[in-house]
């Protein structure tokens, strides 16, 4: 019998409990997995196993029978201190906490390796989608040249509700919160910070160096309007919040999070609702796409439990240090070339003077036009568009 504990009995932690309580993994692992203790600050007097709950972390870290702990409480503190103590005590930890992985991942992975235990975080990116393991193992023969992903379920759900059902932003957000998709502070979702932490984790894995999310320019979906969506449709595209990173020939990394126009010919454009998708481009494989539910109780718990099952089945074998504590050098974002979709009330002559002979869309909003530029460095574009006046969105290259 493998005894495990759960830290944080919320959306994800509750899902982890349900899976281990309702399913037997005896055939897959050779032993039953039992939830022996649950840490939460709330009381659960009506829970059928209320005796499992504790408010004292020491009850878990000092329990020699518990070998694996699922950390699903979220936030940096005390999750960081708890995780460190558990690894130091020789217990493996699995987590859905991307903020913790993006901030302290290399330190915790190194500690786990020193202690001969595992620190696993499949659920930290893309909810239930297998993407961490494929990058860490199946794609090893490749240099990962580019990652482009829809990495936040809440914002993709909101955009889908607004586009498909004409829902108001606030109503769609409230619905996402009610379904358990959103972060405790949903600003992390709608302002892009959650997607930023996830692209930082994926990029760290892809490069082997620490990608500090505070160095990634990040924009959320707050400024996307229904008129932008109408223009996107005219252009045979959809608007998606994209986490993007690219290894540049000089060894630097470019990364950003931003709403982007995605052509219908690119599979990411068809990813709707709470679904996420990550397109990874390897130098030998070309593009591969990982797709599935990016948030929610059962989908996320499925990934946390898979990590627990892996540890129970395969033991706390050598923990790979997936990326170093050294930071990668980031490319100056203003040097990166993009095409941009622009909306402006400026005249044709001025537009042509600045951006060449672009095709103008003049039948979506009266008094303005929309157009797509050719590839242009961000700094040159921003200078030109500031003179022209208007709003803009990046266009994802195929
Ligand atoms: P919830 O807020 O639903 O659950 C967290 C639980 O942990 C709550 O019950 C909370 O209690 C408890 N908790 C918080 N601090 C402590 C503490 N110091 N000691 C004991 N218990 C504590 O969050 P989620 O389940 O949604 O998310 C958990 C983590 O998983 C987060 O890092 C999140 O980003 C990540 N995640 C979430 C997904 C989702 O779809 N929800 C998907 C993928 C990842 P209380 O409510 O009383 O504060
Ligand atoms: N709030 C996150 C999202 C949870 O909506 O994607 C999954 O990481």
């Amino acid at each position: 019998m493998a005894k495990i504990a759960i830290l944080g009995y919320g959306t994800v932690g509750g899902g982890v409990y349900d899976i281990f309580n309702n399913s037997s993994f005896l055939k897959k692992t050779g032993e039953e997995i039992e939830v022996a203790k649950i840490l939460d600050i709330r009381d659960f007097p009506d829970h059928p196993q209320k005796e499992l709950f504790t408010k004292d972390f020491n009850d878990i870290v000092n329990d020699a029978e518990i070998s694996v702990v699922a950390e699903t409480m979220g936030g940096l503190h005390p999750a960081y201190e708890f995780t460190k103590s558990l690894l130091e005590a020789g217990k493996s930890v699995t987590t859905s906490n991307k903020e913790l992985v993006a901030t302290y991942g290399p330190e915790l992975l190194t500690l786990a390796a020193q202690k001969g235990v595992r620190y696993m975080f499949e659920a930290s990116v893309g909810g239930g989608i297998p993407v961490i393991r494929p990058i860490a193992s199946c794609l090893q023969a490749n240099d990962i040249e580019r990652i482009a992903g829809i990495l936040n379920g809440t914002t993709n759900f909101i955009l889908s509700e607004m586009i498909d059902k004409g829902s108001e932003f606030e109503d769609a957000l409230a619905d996402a919160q009610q379904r358990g998709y959103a972060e405790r502070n949903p600003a992390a979702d709608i302002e892009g910070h959650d997607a930023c932490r996830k692209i930082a984790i994926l990029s760290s894995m892809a490069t082997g160096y620490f990608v500090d999310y505070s160095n990634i320019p990040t924009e959320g979906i707050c400024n996307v309007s229904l008129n932008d969506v109408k223009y996107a449709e005219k252009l045979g595209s959809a608007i998606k919040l994209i986490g993007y990173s690219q290894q540049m020939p000089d060894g630097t990394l470019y990364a950003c999070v931003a709403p982007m126009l995605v052509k219908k010919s690119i599979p990411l454009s068809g990813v709707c609702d709470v679904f996420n998708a990550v397109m990874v481009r390897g130098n030998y494989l070309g593009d591969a796409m990982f797709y599935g539910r990016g948030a929610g109780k059962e989908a996320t718990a499925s990934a946390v439990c898979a990590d627990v099952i892996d540890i129970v089945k395969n033991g706390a074998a050598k923990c790979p240090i997936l990326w170093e504590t050294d930071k990668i050098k980031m490319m100056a974002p203003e040097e990166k070339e993009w095409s941009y979709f622009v909306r402006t009330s400026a005249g044709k002559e001025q537009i042509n003077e600045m951006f060449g002979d672009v095709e103008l869309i003049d039948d979506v909003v009266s008094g303005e036009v929309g157009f797509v530029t050719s590839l242009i460095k961000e700094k040159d574009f921003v200078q030109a568009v500031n003179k022209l006046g208007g709003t803009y969105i990046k266009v994802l290259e195929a």
Side-chain angles (χ1 to χ4, degrees):
M1 173 79 72
K3 295 199 174 189
I4 71 154
I6 299 169
L7 306 186
Y9 192 71
T11 304
V12 182
V16 171
Y17 170 84
D18 287 351
I19 289 177
F20 285 123
N21 198 44
N22 296 333
S23 308
S24 166
F25 298 99
L26 181 62
K27 258 189 158 172
K28 291 181 181 166
T29 64
E31 55 185 322
E32 291 289 5
I33 300 175
E34 180 192 88
V35 177
K37 287 202 171 85
I38 304 172
L39 179 82
D40 204 285
I41 39 191
R42 282 180 293 153
D43 291 312
F44 295 87
D46 300 326
H47 195 280
Q49 287 192 288
K50 55 179 182 287
E51 70 282 0
L52 298 185
F53 285 85
T54 176
K55 290 184 175 144
D56 185 354
F57 172 68
N58 290 314
D59 289 343
I60 291 172
V61 74
N62 294 331
D63 186 333
E65 290 193 334
I66 291 172
S67 55
V68 188
V69 178
E71 184 271 296
T72 53
M73 52 192 271
L76 282 184
H77 305 287
Y80 167 68
E81 289 77 10
F82 286 177
T83 302
K84 251 179 100 168
S85 300
L86 290 164
L87 297 173
E88 273 161 359
K91 300 181 194 306
S92 293
V93 178
T94 74
T95 189
S96 55
N97 187 341
K98 53 261 159 154
E99 191 179 1
L100 188 63
V101 177
T103 309
Y104 293 110
E107 181 190 328
L108 295 170
L109 284 163
T110 305
L111 178 59
Q114 284 164 357
K115 295 288 171 185
V117 292
R118 308 287 303 271
Y119 183 55
M120 299 183 77
F121 48 91
E122 186 60 68
S124 67
V125 178
I129 309 174
V131 62
I132 299 291
R133 254 192 215 72
I135 291 180
S137 59
C138 314
L139 299 180
Q140 280 305 286
N142 291 263
D143 285 337
I144 297 192
E145 297 170 342
R146 190 183 98 153
I147 300 173
I150 295 171
L151 301 174
N152 183 268
T154 299
T155 45
N156 209 39
F157 177 82
I158 292 172
L159 288 172
S160 301
E161 291 287 294
M162 287 172 67
I163 294 163
D164 300 340
K165 299 185 189 160
S167 303
E168 294 294 332
F169 184 97
E170 291 303 332
D171 294 340
L173 172 59
D175 197 353
Q177 287 177 297
Q178 204 268 328
R179 290 165 188 253
Y181 300 158
E183 295 301 300
R184 182 159 286 231
N185 176 359
D189 298 294
I190 61 180
E191 291 175 6
H193 308 301
D194 179 70
C196 175
R197 289 166 193 144
K198 291 167 176 167
I199 193 68
I201 294 171
L202 295 176
S203 307
S204 295
M205 294 188 60
T207 61
Y209 290 99
F210 182 33
V211 177
D212 183 344
Y213 64 79
S214 64
N215 291 331
I216 300 178
T218 296
E219 188 191 331
I221 60 164
C222 301
N223 295 326
V224 175
S225 71
L226 280 173
N227 281 332
D228 292 326
V229 170
K230 285 183 194 157
Y231 275 108
E233 272 166 12
K234 275 251 157 197
L235 288 160
S237 302
I239 297 179
K240 297 289 176 191
L241 183 67
I242 300 292
Y244 183 95
S245 77
Q246 185 179 348
Q247 296 222 46
M248 308 310 288
D250 65 358
T252 60
L253 184 83
Y254 171 83
C256 74
V257 173
M260 294 190 194
L261 238 65
V262 184
K263 277 244 171 277
K264 295 261 159 89
S265 54
I266 301 176
L268 288 173
S269 70
V271 175
C272 297
D273 201 278
V274 73
F275 285 81
N276 283 190
V278 188
M279 285 186 79
V280 181
R281 181 169 297 167
N283 60 331
Y284 294 121
L285 173 69
D287 283 327
M289 187 161 110
F290 303 92
Y291 169 83
R293 286 184 187 278
K297 177 177 177 169
E298 291 181 343
T300 311
S302 125
V304 178
C305 290
D307 283 346
V308 174
I309 292 165
D310 186 336
I311 295 163
V312 171
K313 186 175 173 184
N314 299 313
K318 194 168 159 37
C319 178
I321 299 173
L322 297 167
W323 64 91
E324 298 176 13
T325 41
D326 293 347
K327 286 188 188 177
I328 195 160
K329 189 161 188 280
M330 302 295 288
M331 174 186 178
E334 61 274 16
E335 298 296 328
K336 173 80 169 80
E337 287 188 337
W338 289 98
S339 286
Y340 292 86
F341 163 68
V342 182
R343 286 173 62 185
T344 180
S345 50
K348 184 175 188 310
E349 208 172 289
Q350 202 189 354
I351 294 169
N352 290 157
E353 193 185 306
M354 287 178 164
F355 294 105
D357 191 16
V358 290
E359 198 175 322
L360 301 182
I361 304 168
D362 59 7
D363 57 354
V364 175
V365 179
S366 80
E368 68 167 48
V369 293
F371 63 91
V372 175
T373 72
S374 50
L375 281 175
I376 175 170
K377 276 191 182 177
E378 180 154 328
K379 64 179 178 193
D380 298 332
F381 170 76
V382 170
Q383 201 178 19
V385 84
N386 282 346
K387 277 193 203 152
L388 193 72
T391 61
Y392 55 88
I393 298 178
K394 289 184 168 83
V395 178
L396 182 67
E397 292 158 50

